[in-house]
Each structure stands twice: as C-alpha cells, then as structure tokens.
Amino acid sequence: MTDPISGAKRTQEQAVAAWVNRLNEVRLETLFARLERHADDLDEALSLVDAALRRIDLEVVARNRGGVKGMHGFIAEVAEVGVGNARARIVGEAARYGWVNDNGPVDLLRDGVEIQQKFVAAGGRLGLGAIGEHLNKYPDFIRNGGKYQIPADHYETIRDLHAMSATDASKLVAGSGDGPSYRDWLRVRAFFGTGRVDVDSLEPSALDYADVQRGSYTATLESEKDSLRATARSQRADASAAERASIREAGKATIAAGVVEGVTTFVTAVVRKHRAGTPLAQFTAGDWTEVLGESGVGVVKGGVRGASVYTLTNLAATPAAVASALVTASFGIAELANELRTGTITESEFIERAELVSLEAAVSAVSSLVGQAVIPIPVLGAVIGNTVGTVMYQTVSDSLARRECELLERYADEQRLLGERLTSEQERLVDRLRSAASTYVAVLDRAFSPDVETALAGSVALAIEVGVASADILDSDEKTAAYFLD
C-alpha cells in the first residue's frame, strides 16, 4: 500500500482546506443572521409607526381630543412614542417610550425618566411660558429627575440664544422677521436667569413643531418610515461590508495553513529518516538541516495553499476540498515538470505520473466532500471522509496493480513459450527445406544432363519430385506412344 506518511499529509491538506471553508461558513452564517435580524428589526419598527398612526387617527383626531388649539399636543405625544420606539427597534434595542395618557404632570416615560412635553408656539415664547406654568404647579418635577421636551426646532433656537453673548444678540433684528429676534434673546435670558430651570433640563423632541399638526402628522410618520427603510439598507450594506472576504482574513488563513503544513512536514521528515534506520539521537547536523529545509518548503506550500483555497472559495465559488486538490495537483505536476527538464524521467513517465497525481488529488477532494456531507461536523467530517476515501483508493489501486502485474507476467510467460515453440518449428522447417532443396537440385541436374538416357530418367524423377501424378508421367514406351500417336 501507499506510504501512510503520504496519506497523513493528504489528510492534513484537506483538514486545512476544511478549516478555511469553516471560516467562510462562519462569516456567512454571521452575515445571514445579521441580515435576518435587521429584517425583523425593520418590520417591528415599521409596525410601531403604523400603530402610532392608527392611535392618532382613532384616539386623538377621531375624538377631537384637545380641540383645535390643543390637538397637536396629543398628536406629538403619540408620535414621539411611536418614532422613539421605532428608532430604538431599528438598531436592535427594546422599546423605550411609554405614553402615560392620564392628563397628569407626566406625559411620557422613557427608560424610567418622566417627561412633560410642551409643544406650544403661542406668545412667541417657544414654550418657555408653558414650562414655567407647569413648574409652578409641580415645583419638584425637575428635582425628581423630570425632563421638559419641546419641538426640535424650538430647542435648537433656545440653545443658540442661551449660548449667545449680549454683543451678538444686539445684532439680531429688533422685531419679528426671519430667525430669532433680540426680544427672543431677552426672554430666554430672563427665563433661565431665575435659576429655576437649567437649560439641560430641556431636551429636543424627535419632531419639529410643524410635524405634528393635524394636517401634517400622516406625512411626517410616512417620512419616518422611509427613513427607517433607509437605515435598514445602510445596516445591510454595513453588514455585508463587515462580513466580506478580506485581505486580513486571507492573511490569517495563509499564516495558519503555512504553520500547520510546516509542522506536518517537519514531523513526516523526521519519521521518514527514523524509519530509514537513523535513530533520532543520531541525527547529524546535515540531517537536521535537511529536515528544516523540507519544513521551510512545507511552510511555503501551506501558505500558498491557504491563500489559494481562501481566494478560490470566495472569488470563484470553488469548494475548499477541490481548491486544495487543485493546489496539491499543481505542486505535484510542477515537481514532475522539473524532473522532466532535468532528464530524470521521460515524457511518457511524466504523463503517467501526472495523471496519477491528478487522480489521487481528485479522490482526496471527492472523499472530503462526501465525508463532510455525511458527517456534518466542521473539519472532522472532511478529515474522516478523506481518510476513508484515501484508504479505499489505495487498497483498490494496489489490488489492481497486483492483478495487472500478474496478467503481464502470465502474458510474458505465454509469449516466451510461444517463441520457443515457433523457433523449434522454424528450425525443423528450415532443415526440411534445406533437404528438399538439395534433392531438387540433384534431380534438376539429372533432368538436364547431356546424356539422353540420364536426362530422361532425371526428367521422370523431377516430375515425381515436383508432385506430378504417376499416370501423367511418360515413363514407358507404351505411355509415350499413346501420348504422341493417339
């Protein structure tokens, strides 16, 4: 049978391929899981916005809750809950907002924090007057950790005015116009100047003041759904980019495969020398140099194998077992080509051995694929399949080789006996031919003798020699007279 060391090395090669293949599988499984999770997150987020839309339609607008002047406040509360929870869900987080809906000091709860919304534009005070009134009624609201939430555009204006110096404020317009006025700056300064409210006690809503009006909330929430879909697309793109085959991962596969094959080559080289009769303790410097040289070549081959398998599996959709077999066959044929160039083997030997190398690599690949399919355990299935398949192939090929040798040997014996028999017959026939030729020449001499009597007797003898029937031979006076006269 084939050397077990060769079989072990082939198994190691397929193990490396199976490991690289497992790396790819893990990466793809992670990608599919992330994509599936993002799809679920998007569905849940969209359903939260739809639920907010239905609630506003049925519980606020249909009931005319808050009337003409106060309806947008209730719309804002429900919309904030829907949008806030949807934005949390799209990134995989749990719902954060809850709608209190009891006309008490708290409108919303977010992660346990009490929130009072003030979507007020009347009086041009950006809702600060409404905050002051609420604080008069509930003076401990801020001390208890409560937050005042105002429209996002109002919050931005208040923050800008609060941070503005008197010099810059003096350059603002005196009255109404585009943007805040100097009077707005004075109101903000006076409000926070009392010390009752800190600017950090305010926070922006997810929506602007105009977004939650009766005529605009539907478009606002539909736009939010579009934004959620855009976020999901971005998440999918990020997930695909993060789990894409990379040069960094290819480098890891190259290094790992090189180390594994280098170690395997080192061990097999030591074992081969030991089996050749050299005890380990008697290894010379030359022996170790040879072993390390082979190990270095093994590291290079392993690195090429790891990089090739990783590249072929990710760019050419080639099964890892097949990719490794291609690399193995390439190495083997390259070595044979070098032997052919140096004259070590003939062209016919090169072709025969190249076919054998390719066949063995193909058997290894198919065995690994079948083993992985039958035993769906990463790497282990491929290793077992390769081992069993290689042993079966070696057993069958060795058996066939023995049968072929027996057939060839039997054929050679038959040809040898046939040759001996034909040689004997040839010699016998040559002797007969030589004797017949001698007799024929002697009879021919007599037939053409100058003496008539001798010639006549010789002619009769010649006719008999060449096979003329005795009845047709004129060997008497009666036959002669009858032939010429009758």
Side-chain angles (χ1 to χ4, degrees):
M1 294 183 64
T2 304
D3 187 354
I5 292 179
S6 177
K9 189 172 187 304
R10 190 62 52 81
T11 300
Q12 168 263 314
E13 293 168 354
Q14 285 300 329
V16 170
W19 173 73
V20 174
N21 187 62
R22 182 55 184 166
L23 289 181
N24 292 330
E25 289 179 351
V26 170
R27 177 166 48 79
L28 292 177
E29 288 172 359
T30 302
L31 172 61
F32 293 151
R34 289 182 63 181
L35 293 178
E36 184 177 3
R37 184 173 66 252
H38 290 324
D40 293 340
D41 291 341
L42 176 61
D43 290 340
E44 289 292 333
L46 293 176
S47 67
L48 289 171
V49 177
D50 287 335
L53 270 170
R54 289 192 300 271
R55 197 164 197 177
I56 293 173
D57 291 340
L58 297 176
E59 298 185 25
V60 178
V61 176
R63 297 179 181 181
N64 195 31
R65 191 170 181 183
V68 176
K69 294 183 178 180
M71 181 180 293
H72 70 277
F74 292 103
I75 293 175
E77 293 174 10
V78 179
E80 186 72 26
V81 171
V83 170
N85 288 339
R87 290 182 181 181
R89 191 68 178 85
I90 196 65
V91 294
E93 298 177 358
R96 304 180 62 193
Y97 280 91
W99 187 28
V100 177
N101 192 26
D102 62 357
N103 295 320
V106 178
D107 294 328
L108 311 173
L109 286 175
R110 184 188 63 235
D111 298 333
V113 176
E114 297 179 344
I115 298 174
Q116 171 65 217
Q117 267 197 351
K118 292 302 179 185
F119 270 64
V120 180
R125 293 182 294 176
L126 302 173
L128 295 179
I131 292 175
E133 294 173 0
H134 182 272
L135 196 56
N136 290 335
K137 191 174 181 180
Y138 305 101
D140 295 330
F141 181 75
I142 294 178
R143 285 195 295 269
N144 292 334
K147 287 277 189 177
Y148 287 104
Q149 191 177 88
I150 60 178
D153 50 340
H154 289 183
Y155 179 81
E156 183 178 354
T157 300
I158 291 173
R159 291 288 297 192
D160 290 342
L161 292 173
H162 180 267
M164 189 177 295
S165 65
T167 302
D168 291 335
S170 64
K171 300 176 183 178
L172 297 174
V173 294
S176 61
D178 295 334
S181 64
Y182 181 71
R183 184 178 180 182
D184 294 329
W185 179 80
L186 291 175
R187 287 173 176 167
V188 169
R189 187 179 182 86
F191 179 80
F192 290 106
T194 62
R196 299 176 63 204
V197 182
D198 185 84
V199 70
D200 292 331
S201 298
L202 276 61
E203 67 175 32
S205 166
L207 306 169
D208 289 341
Y209 180 80
D211 292 336
V212 296
Q213 302 306 308
R214 179 172 183 173
S216 62
Y217 72 87
T218 300
T220 297
L221 294 181
E222 289 297 335
S223 177
E224 180 64 24
K225 291 167 66 176
D226 291 338
S227 177
L228 293 171
R229 294 187 184 98
T231 299
R233 287 193 295 270
S234 177
Q235 288 175 332
R236 289 194 295 270
D238 292 343
S240 298
E243 302 301 335
R244 187 180 297 125
S246 64
I247 295 177
R248 181 177 181 181
E249 191 174 50
K252 292 181 180 178
T254 300
I255 294 173
V259 171
V260 171
E261 193 145 344
V263 171
T264 302
T265 304
F266 175 83
V267 173
T268 55
V270 171
V271 171
R272 186 168 55 252
K273 282 188 169 294
H274 180 72
R275 291 174 60 183
T278 304
L280 187 62
Q282 296 180 12
F283 274 25
T284 64
D287 291 330
W288 285 116
T289 300
E290 184 179 348
V291 168
L292 293 176
E294 292 183 22
S295 302
V297 173
V299 171
V300 174
K301 285 185 176 181
V304 173
R305 185 184 309 281
S308 300
V309 171
Y310 188 87
T311 302
L312 288 172
T313 53
N314 286 287
L315 298 184
T318 305
V322 176
S324 181
L326 290 174
V327 176
T328 299
S330 299
F331 285 150
I333 294 175
E335 292 175 358
L336 292 174
N338 183 60
E339 293 181 12
L340 177 63
R341 283 193 295 269
T342 59
T344 306
I345 59 175
T346 63
E347 291 185 0
S348 60
E349 289 175 329
F350 169 76
I351 294 174
E352 292 175 0
R353 292 172 61 182
E355 290 176 346
L356 185 60
V357 166
S358 300
L359 177 60
E360 290 179 346
V363 169
S364 177
V366 173
S367 301
S368 297
L369 290 172
V370 172
Q372 191 64 77
V374 175
I375 307 174
I377 301 176
V379 182
L380 181 61
V383 170
I384 294 177
N386 177 79
T387 302
V388 173
T390 301
V391 170
M392 291 176 63
Y393 166 73
Q394 290 172 354
T395 302
V396 173
S397 62
D398 289 346
S399 175
L400 291 175
R402 285 194 298 271
R403 185 180 179 187
E404 290 170 353
C405 291
E406 292 173 357
L407 290 174
L408 290 174
E409 185 176 354
R410 186 170 63 190
Y411 177 76
D413 292 339
E414 292 175 353
Q415 293 299 311
R416 184 172 58 257
L417 293 174
L418 178 61
E420 293 174 356
R421 182 171 61 82
L422 292 176
T423 300
S424 176
E425 291 183 1
Q426 181 187 24
E427 292 176 351
R428 182 172 55 82
L429 291 174
V430 168
D431 290 339
R432 289 180 58 188
L433 180 62
R434 186 182 296 112
S435 176
S438 178
T439 302
Y440 176 75
V441 171
V443 172
L444 192 64
D445 287 341
R446 291 172 58 193
F448 291 94
S449 174
D451 183 66
V452 175
E453 292 295 335
T454 302
L456 181 58
S459 297
V460 172
L462 178 61
I464 293 173
E465 185 67 26
V466 297
V468 179
S470 61
D472 296 330
I473 299 175
L474 305 177
D475 55 357
S476 67
D477 293 340
E478 291 79 6
K479 288 183 179 180
T480 303
Y483 179 78
F484 285 105
L485 298 176
D486 292 341

